[in-house]
Amino acid sequence: MSTTPKSAGQHSAGAFDIRNIIGIVIGTYGVILLAMGAFFSSPEQLEKSGGLHANLIAGFVMVVVAAVFFTWSHLRPIEVPVTPAPKEQATTE
């Protein structure tokens, strides 16, 4: 949680924080690349990349970047101000 006290008129963005959305997208692609590099790589693909497991390395880096985004959004949440609903004007006839 955040170390700064929250005022009464604010709450955190939570799951709708853009850093969480970016982390989900990057993490999903990272897991897919990890699976492709670990389970579906062939010697021909390894030869094309010069003996480097490119999918495996790229997938690992993407998963790490996604973890950084999630950690960042958890440690420094965005505070969204709560605006009160407009009051209905009472009409007297």
Side-chain angles (χ1 to χ4, degrees), residues 30 33-34 37-38 49 51-64:
L33 282 176
L34 276 172
S49 63
L52 188 69
H53 290 280
N55 285 344
L56 200 60
I57 293 170
F60 178 73
V61 169
M62 290 175 85
V63 168
V64 169

Side-chain angles (χ1 to χ4, degrees), residues 4 6 18-19 38 43 49 54 57 76 83 90 93:
T4 59
K6 291 178 12 176
I18 190 68
R19 296 171 291 185
S49 63
I57 293 170
R76 300 211 22 138
T83 56
E93 292 182 29

